Amino acid sequence: MLAITGPQQYEQVVDAVRTAAPPTRGPFIDLVPEHGLKLTPRHYAYLKISEGCNHRCAFCIIPSMRGDLASRPVNAVLREAEKLVEAGTKELLVISQDTSAYGVDLRHAPSPWRGREVRAHMTDLAAALGELGVWVRLHYVYPYPHVDDVIPLMAEGKILPYLDIRSSTPPPAC
């Protein structure tokens, strides 16, 4: 047995396989560029930070289809963002079904990134993404109280002054 992982933990599966059988690199083997393939134009990319949602809004089928919130570890998100920027991406479109709740299921666990710890929390993620020198746009944000904490990041030019707000009534506090 190589590893035990949970649902949607594809990064851990790939890490275990690479540990057991390190990949060999070569021009006749590697048909996919190291930064991966994208289906969007080169200048922007979607950066998915979580899947599912913990809210059971009467009008929404997402929890039934995708399940409860399952956030990606913050260092995995930041690694993907760095690769996208290295490949020429100029704008990161941060998406999930409930971006404001990012990391709640992980209890906002910190991960190492660039020599420091970054929490799996929307505001900390936005601040770290703002260090990459590209436009960062937050999509599908619910009006939780901590969303106000991204306004200073907008004022500093670290993220774009844009929020795609999803509800006029705030969901229960997380």
Side-chain angles (χ1 to χ4, degrees):
M1 175 169 50
L2 294 176
I4 298 173
T5 64
Q8 300 177 352
Q9 291 182 313
Y10 60 90
E11 287 122 349
Q12 287 85 349
V13 172
V14 171
D15 288 344
V17 170
R18 285 185 178 152
T19 299
T24 56
R25 312 247 357 124
F28 301 110
I29 296 172
D30 299 318
L31 301 177
V32 176
E34 191 166 325
H35 59 271
L37 296 173
K38 294 186 340 163
L39 299 177
T40 58
R42 184 176 178 194
H43 67 281
Y44 72 88
Y46 291 98
L47 182 64
K48 185 136 191 170
I49 62 172
S50 66
E51 189 72 45
C53 183
N54 290 340
H55 304 293
R56 302 297 186 260
C57 302
F59 59 84
C60 184
I61 194 169
I62 287 173
S64 298
M65 287 178 36
R66 305 208 183 237
D68 287 337
L69 179 72
S71 301
R72 294 177 58 202
V74 69
N75 59 350
V77 173
L78 293 169
R79 244 189 344 257
E80 180 182 348
E82 283 179 316
K83 286 182 180 182
L84 290 166
V85 171
E86 289 168 7
T89 298
K90 303 294 182 209
E91 180 177 5
L92 295 170
L93 305 167
V94 178
I95 60 167
S96 67
Q97 280 77 35
D98 183 359
T99 297
S100 306
Y102 171 69
V104 167
D105 57 315
L106 302 175
R107 296 188 176 144
H108 303 298
S111 296
W113 186 68
R114 290 188 172 182
R116 69 178 196 277
E117 295 282 308
V118 177
R119 283 185 321 147
H121 190 278
M122 183 190 85
T123 55
D124 294 18
L125 175 63
L129 291 171
E131 296 173 18
L132 298 177
V134 297
W135 287 356
V136 176
R137 189 181 305 267
L138 302 177
H139 286 265
Y140 317 131
V141 175
Y142 284 85
Y144 292 89
H146 67 266
V147 172
D148 292 348
D149 297 339
V150 300
I151 294 171
L153 297 173
M154 293 174 181
E156 295 169 23
K158 293 190 179 214
I159 66 172
L160 289 175
Y162 171 93
L163 290 175
D164 187 330
I165 302 288
R166 283 286 143 191
S167 173
S168 60
T169 306
C174 286

